[in-house]
């Protein structure tokens, strides 16, 4: 991969193969079929049990596909356990007529669909055409990598440019069915993407960081409006587009984890059964303040967020970047999303394990700073 840089006048943006991005109320019923690769395509649906059993969304998509519906796997759980992934992959592999996978749901079904495509290619030399219909703001549909959970609780990942979705449909009707806390907390996950891409060493200035700034502004603006009225479909659509802006322009450039908040999210998420939206609520503001205090380059990028998150610049990068962290924590509180590791029954003795997982070290100055941050999450 060609690296970009923190300089806005040097870089290369390499987009994914995304072909269609539809958005708005009822866009699935209007446009799903035209997202299929051809008239003879057979599609397999990947989703979770709540969407399949508690809403009419999955049945409506199955009905819309008609003879093109090849099957549905509706048992993808939080953090995508590998056992469920194995069953779904076997179901797809048994039918050679399947050329398309449709993921409906949050990050786990979308990541699972990407991982199934990856595994199918390993076994049979072909990737699937992927259509994503997100029901959260996690933005998993924006990347070509996928994470799933091993039996020991550790998250592992696969990545290939061919795993990126070919079509995304942001339908506010699907957003209406998402529990409010899940919707808002995944909005903080989107904020996590936008913030950490600002100081990522391989993100591009245009369009990645420019769009991340707009994403941060719209998330700060519309998440409180969603909390005030969760049935406003225009607000839902604006948040879906902000979610895409937070990560959809990373392209094929950025390599490695996004940043410390994401790394902590992986260390806390699947091992302790904490949703990634909630881990972002816990860690992002604190990570921003840590970055502000210890990394001058990161602080200078973080200060660019000030006018987009309601912070008045003073001209002191360290102070202004810390104010951005405070603003994020304040938003989390206003949305009623503040939580602690105590609530998730994580013992305080786990601070070492979390810090070790996040830093890949057992001692040293970086480990010490991260461990101190983690200890503040109880």
């Amino acid at each position: 991969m060609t690296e970009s840089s923190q300089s806005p006048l040097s870089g290369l943006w390499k987009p994914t193969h995304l072909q269609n991005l539809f958005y708005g109320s009822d866009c699935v019923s209007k446009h799903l079929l035209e997202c299929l690769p051809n008239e003879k395509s057979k599609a397999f649906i990947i989703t979770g049990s709540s969407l399949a059993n508690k809403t009419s969304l999955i049945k409506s998509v199955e009905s819309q596909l008609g003879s093109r519906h090849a099957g549905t796997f509706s048992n993808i759980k939080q953090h995508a356990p590998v056992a469920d992934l194995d069953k779904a992959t076997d179901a797809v592999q048994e039918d050679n007529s399947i050329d398309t996978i449709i993921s409906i749901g949050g990050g786990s079904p979308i990541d699972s669909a990407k991982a199934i495509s990856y595994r199918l290619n390993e076994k049979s030399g072909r990737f699937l055409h992927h259509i994503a219909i997100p029901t959260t703001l996690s933005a998993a549909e924006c990347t070509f990598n996928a994470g799933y959970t091993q039996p020991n609780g550790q998250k592992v990942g696969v990545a290939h440019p061919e795993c990126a979705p070919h079509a995304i449909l942001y339908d506010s009707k699907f957003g209406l069915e998402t529990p409010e806390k899940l919707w808002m907390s995944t909005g903080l996950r989107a904020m996590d993407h936008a913030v950490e891409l600002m100081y990522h060493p391989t993100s591009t200035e245009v369009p990645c960081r420019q769009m991340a700034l707009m994403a941060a502004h719209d998330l700060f603006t519309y998440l409180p409006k969603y909390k005030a009225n969760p049935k406003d479909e225009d607000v839902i659509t604006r948040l879906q587009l902000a979610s895409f802006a937070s990560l959809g322009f990373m392209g094929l450039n950025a390599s490695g984890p996004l940043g410390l908040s994401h790394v902590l999210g992986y260390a806390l998420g699947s091992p302790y059964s904490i949703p990634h939206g909630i881990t972002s609520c816990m860690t992002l503001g604190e990570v921003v303040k840590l970055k502000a205090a210890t990394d001058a380059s990161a602080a200078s990028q973080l200060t660019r967020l000030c006018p987009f998150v309601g912070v008045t610049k003073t001209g002191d990068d360290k102070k202004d970047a810390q104010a951005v962290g405070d603003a994020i924590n304040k938003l989390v509180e206003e949305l009623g999303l503040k939580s602690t590791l105590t609530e998730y029954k994580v013992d305080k003795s786990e601070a070492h394990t979390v810090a070790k997982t996040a830093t890949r070290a057992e001692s040293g100055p970086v480990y010490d700073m991260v461990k101190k941050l983690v200890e503040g999450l109880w």
Side-chain angles (χ1 to χ4, degrees), residues 2-192:
T2 301
E3 289 195 355
S4 62
S5 76
Q6 292 293 327
S7 167
L9 301 180
S10 172
L12 167 70
W13 180 56
K14 300 182 73 174
T16 69
H17 60 202
L18 180 67
Q19 298 167 357
N20 297 298
L21 188 151
F22 289 104
Y23 57 93
S25 185
D26 293 316
C27 68
V28 170
S29 62
K30 294 173 184 173
H31 300 293
L32 176 62
L33 295 183
E34 66 189 88
C35 293
L36 295 169
N38 59 68
E39 292 182 0
K40 296 181 179 178
S41 289
K42 288 290 184 73
F44 192 89
I45 296 171
I46 300 292
T47 190
S49 60
S50 291
L51 279 172
N53 300 325
K54 296 179 182 178
T55 78
S56 60
L57 296 176
I58 305 306
K59 287 184 174 58
S60 70
V61 173
E62 291 172 345
S63 175
Q64 188 178 352
L65 289 169
S67 61
R68 301 183 193 187
H69 177 227
T72 297
F73 186 88
S74 60
N75 199 32
I76 298 296
K77 301 180 186 71
Q78 180 177 287
H79 298 301
V82 69
D84 297 336
L85 206 60
D86 289 337
K87 292 175 188 173
T89 303
D90 289 343
V92 172
Q93 197 174 7
E94 287 171 5
D95 188 344
N96 288 329
S97 70
I98 296 171
D99 63 358
T100 299
I101 194 160
I102 300 175
S103 56
I104 306 175
S108 294
I110 295 170
D111 270 11
S112 295
K114 289 186 281 187
I116 289 165
S117 184
Y118 183 92
R119 289 164 146 221
L120 191 67
N121 180 64
E122 282 190 318
K123 295 178 179 179
S124 61
R126 68 187 180 97
F127 289 97
L128 295 166
H129 186 86
H130 183 182
I131 299 170
I133 305 174
T135 62
T136 73
L137 301 173
S138 70
E141 65 279 1
C142 296
T143 71
F144 58 91
N145 55 286
Y148 56 91
T149 305
Q150 299 278 45
N152 66 359
Q154 293 301 312
K155 203 84 172 261
V156 296
V158 296
H160 194 286
E162 290 296 321
C163 291
H166 297 77
I168 302 171
L169 296 102
Y170 289 118
D171 192 326
S172 54
K173 287 286 191 290
F174 283 65
L176 283 171
E177 300 288 349
T178 305
E180 292 166 27
K181 183 178 180 181
L182 176 60
W183 182 263
M184 291 188 292
S185 64
T186 55
L188 264 295
R189 188 66 172 172
M191 181 67 69
D192 209 334

Side-chain angles (χ1 to χ4, degrees), residues 317-334:
D317 282 357
K318 183 176 178 179
K319 183 178 178 182
D320 292 344
Q322 287 180 325
V324 170
D326 288 333
I328 291 167
N329 284 340
K330 184 180 177 185
L331 176 65
V332 171
E333 285 199 41
E334 286 176 355

Side-chain angles (χ1 to χ4, degrees), residues 250-327:
M250 181 174 71
L252 302 177
N253 298 83
S255 56
L258 283 191
L260 177 58
S261 183
H262 275 75
V263 173
L264 283 169
Y266 295 129
L268 289 167
S270 48
Y272 305 102
S273 299
I274 306 173
H276 278 314
I278 297 298
T279 65
S280 290
C281 291
M282 291 181 182
T283 63
L284 180 57
E286 297 308 309
V287 165
V288 167
K289 292 197 284 185
L290 177 63
K291 283 283 189 182
T294 60
D295 184 339
S297 175
S300 70
Q301 289 291 345
L302 288 165
T303 59
R304 297 173 64 187
L305 286 157
C306 286
F308 297 91
V309 301
V311 172
T312 302
K313 279 189 177 185
T314 68
D316 180 333
D317 282 357
K318 183 176 178 179
K319 183 178 178 182
D320 292 344
Q322 287 180 325
V324 170
D326 288 333

